[in-house]
Amino acid sequence: MQCFGAEYLVSAESTPRQREWRPQIYRRCTDKTWLFLFFLFWTGLVFITGYSVVAGAVGRLLFGYDSFGNVCGKKNSPVEGAPLSGQDMTLKKHVFFMNSCNLEIKDVRLNSIVLCVSSCPEEQLDTLEEVQLFANNNGSFLCIYSLNSFDYTRNPNADSLCPRLPVPPSKSFPLFNRCIPQTPECYSLFTSVLINDVDSLHRILSGIMSGRDTVLGLCILALALSLAMMFTFRFISTLLVHIFISLVILGLLFVCGVLWWLYYDYTSDLSTELDTERENMKCLLGFAIVSTVITAVLLILIFVLRKRIKLTVELFQVTNKAISSSPFLLLQPLWTFAILIFFWVLWVAVLLSLGTAGAAQVIEGGQVEYKPLSGIQYMWWYHLIGLIWTSEFILACQQMTIAGAVVTCYFNRNKNDPPDHPILSSLSVLCCYHQGTVIKGSFLITLVRIPRIILIYVYNTVKEKRNAWSKCVFRCCFCCFWSLDKYLRHLNQDAYTTTAINGTDFCTSARDALRILSKNSSQLTSVNCFGDFIIFLGKVLVVCFTVFGGLMAFNYNRALQVWTIPLLLVAFFAYLVAHSFLSVFETVLDVLFLCFVVDLETNDGSSGKPYFMDQEFLSFVGRSSKLNDARAQKDGNSLRNEEGTELRPIVR
């Protein structure tokens, strides 16, 4: 977006005499350099997208391909030097391995020729006559394309051009439509090589694709639960909080119990032979341990903070009153989530195209291999940075929009006449003046995320060289980056709110927010933190019920699917959806707190400088201050709410 003018005035003042807290008086374009840098960065992303479309071949990854460069299920272009390439495989959608019972990997290649066939043989074929009969009856040719079905029994080289006998019965697997043998001995050998050793990414994708209906259903369940939680917080009461906390406790205990029971069930199952089953068992153990630790910590926190429930209910009632002045704030996560989904789908499509961008090379026997193009790995890293930065930018735009709308309503003198269209007004101010600020803030989060990703990548790369010291260093570094990420997120929110108030750039806003919050942190910090904790419990509740549904649904497919990975993705999606919806309340709480301390900074409650906050907020602040800090009362920093008393500013 272009900046429409260097600055504009909301009041009669044209320029500030001295930079100070001046709510909604001064507005100018902020951090314009970062807006230009983001434009240049996205120019590179557009180039990568175009390159992936031209050089990539997603069809090879999605539908599978044979040993001669033909993608199954579509019409192909010929490869020079490969006479069996360029065939029309529209009716041949299944991938068949001619040596499925004796698969081996030699020099990162399978020892079996792969063909595209119209159907998998569902019954065992013991002789070439039966292979020929199957081809004539089903139109599915299991021998090399150059060999006519009439020559299956006549050609002296048929043994090397046709599958090794006997051909076991097979069924198509959900991902890539692979023909997987069904006899126990062949099945074990086939899966131990193809599923265990060839490609862990394909193994994970197989689990996702085979349970795609379950994954979709669980995502819809997470969305419905998130909407229910948002409705609960919108009309919260003391009884609802007690019921809500009870459900959280029961959900945590129940999920922990189910995870440990499933792990015991796996360990007592002596038929666990495949890596997929062993991975499910290992992941279950990890899930069970992590969930047990989280449950213990949350139960302790709930017990310690149980006496603040009534005050928290009042805090949410004040928050809901602020939301009532602009009820469409609750719909902000919908468009944010829709934009994120669109961007992520586009990002995954480009990633798949980059992963299949390779040059065809003809090897012995006219077979075709695809060699990755040079420089692709650098494009992957650039593409990954684009995912993190753009996603954080979209989320930051939502934070800035909500902050601007709440600030507009808070610093409105006439509470009986709320401003018209505060969300549209906030969005227009963001687009015209402060996009550079949210870009800079989102880049800081990206700057912290990248070392974490590199650290995880390096840690997984040097598995065989790990020792106790390296594990300890890794965990310490990871915790440091995680803590820094959390701190920067909170700092960004305060900076966005300050920008919405004063119209200053990111660094100035962050510095001003830190200064004023450090002076007034004793007022509502503990109550605000407990409010954030209740919102976090709402996210945990959504994840608990979604994971429980996933455990019940996924546990029935243990053999071929790594179902713990789809379950982990569903849990991540559930938390993301819950965070998207419930973060509205979290953002409004933080914005109200900052507006409150700015109100104290700029006004003294006199007739000449009355406070912007209404009487209900005054009453709540007074009660929370009395319950919060006895020392603040001695220092004169407490707030009294008796009739006829005015709210006094904080003593510096």
Side-chain angles (χ1 to χ4, degrees):
M1 289 296 237
Q2 293 182 346
C3 183
F4 300 105
E7 60 187 32
Y8 80 102
L9 295 179
V10 180
S11 70
E13 297 187 49
S14 57
T15 56
R17 294 182 301 273
Q18 186 179 13
R19 197 182 63 74
E20 56 185 6
W21 288 97
R22 308 170 58 159
Q24 296 186 297
I25 291 178
Y26 181 69
R27 190 73 61 191
R28 64 184 177 86
C29 287
T30 54
D31 299 297
K32 292 176 283 188
T33 304
W34 285 91
L35 182 60
F36 178 71
L37 291 176
F38 193 63
F39 173 79
L40 291 180
F41 180 83
W42 254 91
T43 302
L45 285 181
V46 171
F47 169 78
I48 290 178
T49 301
Y51 178 83
S52 66
V53 171
V54 174
V58 183
R60 293 204 309 267
L61 181 63
L62 295 180
F63 306 113
Y65 59 98
D66 63 14
S67 299
F68 308 101
N70 300 297
V71 178
C72 300
K74 63 174 291 187
K75 190 173 182 179
N76 298 273
S77 301
V79 177
E80 185 177 355
L84 296 180
S85 63
Q87 300 195 34
D88 187 357
M89 299 294 181
T90 306
L91 300 178
K92 300 179 179 180
K93 301 180 179 180
H94 302 275
V95 181
F96 176 75
F97 295 81
M98 291 179 59
N99 195 20
S100 59
C101 287
N102 296 279
L103 281 184
E104 292 181 6
I105 296 180
K106 296 180 179 179
D107 298 327
V108 201
R109 289 178 51 216
L110 288 172
N111 66 338
S112 174
I113 294 178
V114 184
L115 301 174
C116 294
V117 297
S118 56
S119 62
C120 303
E122 297 183 358
E123 296 181 357
Q124 180 169 302
L125 307 177
D126 296 310
T127 63
L128 287 177
E129 286 78 7
E130 292 182 1
V131 174
Q132 184 183 56
L133 183 62
F134 177 76
N136 294 332
N137 293 339
N138 298 279
S140 187
F141 305 96
L142 305 182
C143 298
I144 297 295
Y145 304 136
S146 58
L147 184 63
N148 193 291
S149 62
F150 296 107
D151 296 329
Y152 284 4
T153 56
R154 301 176 183 176
N155 195 308
N157 298 321
D159 290 339
S160 61
L161 300 176
C162 292
R164 183 173 298 181
L165 299 174
V167 180
S170 58
K171 289 184 179 180
S172 178
F173 193 52
L175 188 64
F176 306 138
N177 295 317
R178 288 178 174 141
C179 294
I180 296 183
Q182 297 300 298
T183 56
E185 59 277 3
C186 287
Y187 170 83
S188 178
L189 291 171
F190 181 88
T191 51
S192 65
V193 174
L194 190 65
I195 295 181
N196 291 346
D197 299 330
V198 171
D199 195 339
S200 59
L201 175 62
H202 289 178
R203 190 160 68 245
I204 293 171
L205 290 177
S206 300
I208 297 174
M209 292 297 293
S210 61
R212 55 187 179 274
D213 295 334
T214 305
V215 170
L216 180 61
L218 291 172
C219 291
I220 295 175
L221 174 63
L223 180 62
L225 290 173
S226 300
L227 290 172
M229 289 306 306
M230 188 170 65
F231 182 82
T232 301
F233 282 122
R234 183 69 179 86
F235 303 98
I236 201 166
S237 64
T238 305
L239 178 62
L240 277 178
V241 171
H242 284 288
I243 295 175
F244 163 71
I245 292 179
S246 300
L247 287 175
V248 171
I249 295 173
L250 291 175
L252 288 170
L253 294 175
F254 198 64
V255 168
C256 282
V258 170
L259 285 170
W260 283 111
W261 175 79
L262 286 175
Y263 175 70
Y264 173 78
D265 191 39
Y266 264 88
T267 54
S268 60
D269 186 1
L270 300 179
S271 64
T272 302
E273 297 179 354
L274 298 178
D275 277 1
T276 50
E277 295 177 285
R278 287 192 288 268
E279 285 182 14
N280 287 337
M281 185 172 64
K282 291 178 182 178
C283 291
L284 274 175
L285 177 61
F287 289 168
I289 294 174
V290 171
S291 64
T292 302
V293 173
I294 292 176
T295 299
V297 172
L298 290 180
L299 290 179
I300 293 173
L301 288 176
I302 290 173
F303 178 78
V304 171
L305 301 174
R306 68 191 186 281
K307 295 182 179 180
R308 291 187 176 273
I309 290 178
K310 185 176 180 181
L311 204 58
T312 303
V313 172
E314 295 184 24
L315 177 64
F316 276 105
Q317 289 172 348
V318 171
T319 304
N320 285 322
K321 186 174 181 180
I323 294 177
S324 298
S325 60
S326 184
F328 288 104
L329 281 176
L330 297 177
L331 300 180
Q332 294 307 297
L334 292 178
W335 66 261
T336 302
F337 190 68
I339 294 174
L340 280 174
I341 289 295
F342 174 78
F343 171 68
W344 289 340
V345 169
L346 177 63
W347 187 87
V348 170
V350 174
L351 180 66
L352 294 178
S353 297
L354 285 176
T356 55
Q361 289 186 340
V362 181
I363 57 177
E364 70 276 2
Q367 298 184 36
V368 176
E369 281 190 344
Y370 291 92
K371 183 180 180 181
L373 299 176
S374 59
I376 287 293
Q377 62 270 25
Y378 302 109
M379 292 187 181
W380 288 344
W381 281 106
Y382 192 95
H383 195 53
L384 177 62
I385 296 174
L387 169 69
I388 301 174
W389 195 0
T390 306
S391 299
E392 294 296 338
F393 168 72
I394 295 171
L395 294 173
C397 286
Q398 173 179 298
Q399 291 178 294
M400 188 74 169
T401 302
I402 295 175
V406 174
V407 165
T408 301
C409 296
Y410 184 94
F411 290 105
N412 175 42
R413 286 293 183 189
N414 189 357
K415 300 300 181 182
N416 297 321
D417 184 21
D420 297 329
H421 312 297
I423 297 177
L424 291 178
S425 175
S426 175
L427 189 60
S428 64
V429 169
L430 166 63
C431 294
C432 297
Y433 297 96
H434 303 312
Q435 283 197 76
T437 298
V438 294
I439 289 172
K440 188 174 183 178
S442 57
F443 178 77
L444 291 179
I445 302 296
T446 306
L447 205 59
V448 175
R449 282 283 183 89
I450 296 301
R452 289 173 61 187
I453 295 175
I454 295 176
L455 194 64
I456 294 174
Y457 174 77
V458 172
Y459 184 74
N460 292 329
T461 303
V462 294
K463 287 183 178 180
E464 64 281 356
K465 297 181 180 180
R466 293 180 191 170
N467 51 42
W469 183 84
S470 63
K471 290 181 181 179
C472 180
V473 171
F474 167 78
R475 289 169 182 169
C476 291
C477 293
F478 191 82
C479 288
C480 290
F481 281 120
W482 181 84
S483 302
L484 182 60
D485 179 85
K486 293 300 180 184
Y487 173 76
L488 283 178
R489 288 185 182 279
H490 188 72
L491 177 65
N492 282 1
Q493 178 60 69
D494 293 335
Y496 299 151
T497 305
T498 304
T499 298
I501 296 173
N502 275 348
T504 49
D505 60 79
F506 180 86
C507 292
T508 303
S509 298
R511 184 171 60 251
D512 290 346
L514 285 175
R515 179 183 60 82
I516 194 171
L517 289 174
S518 62
K519 290 192 300 183
N520 302 285
S521 59
S522 62
Q523 292 295 325
L524 289 175
T525 302
S526 60
V527 180
N528 189 31
C529 288
F530 188 65
D532 291 342
F533 177 67
I534 291 293
I535 295 173
F536 175 73
L537 289 183
K539 302 173 188 177
V540 171
L541 183 64
V542 172
V543 174
C544 281
F545 278 92
T546 305
V547 168
F548 172 71
L551 288 172
M552 296 297 100
F554 282 124
N555 189 46
Y556 294 102
N557 299 313
R558 294 187 173 187
L560 288 176
Q561 292 83 9
V562 184
W563 59 265
T564 50
I565 301 300
L567 181 63
L568 184 62
L569 292 177
V570 167
F572 174 76
F573 179 84
Y575 183 82
L576 184 65
V577 173
H579 175 74
S580 298
F581 283 91
L582 299 183
S583 63
V584 173
F585 296 93
E586 196 172 359
T587 303
V588 172
L589 278 174
D590 294 337
V591 174
L592 281 178
F593 178 50
L594 185 56
C595 289
F596 162 73
V597 294
V598 171
D599 202 3
L600 291 181
E601 181 80 8
T602 55
N603 302 294
D604 55 12
S606 62
S607 57
K609 287 186 175 182
Y611 292 115
F612 284 97
M613 66 187 83
D614 55 22
Q615 288 299 320
E616 184 177 352
F617 199 6
L618 276 170
S619 177
F620 168 73
V621 171
R623 288 193 299 273
S624 63
S625 296
K626 290 178 180 179
L627 295 173
N628 191 32
D629 197 346
R631 184 179 59 185
Q633 293 180 3
K634 295 179 181 179
D635 295 336
N637 293 336
S638 63
L639 305 175
R640 297 191 298 270
N641 66 328
E642 293 87 358
E643 294 185 4
T645 5
E646 62 181 22
L647 187 67
R648 296 189 301 177
I650 303 297
V651 178
R652 300 185 181 89

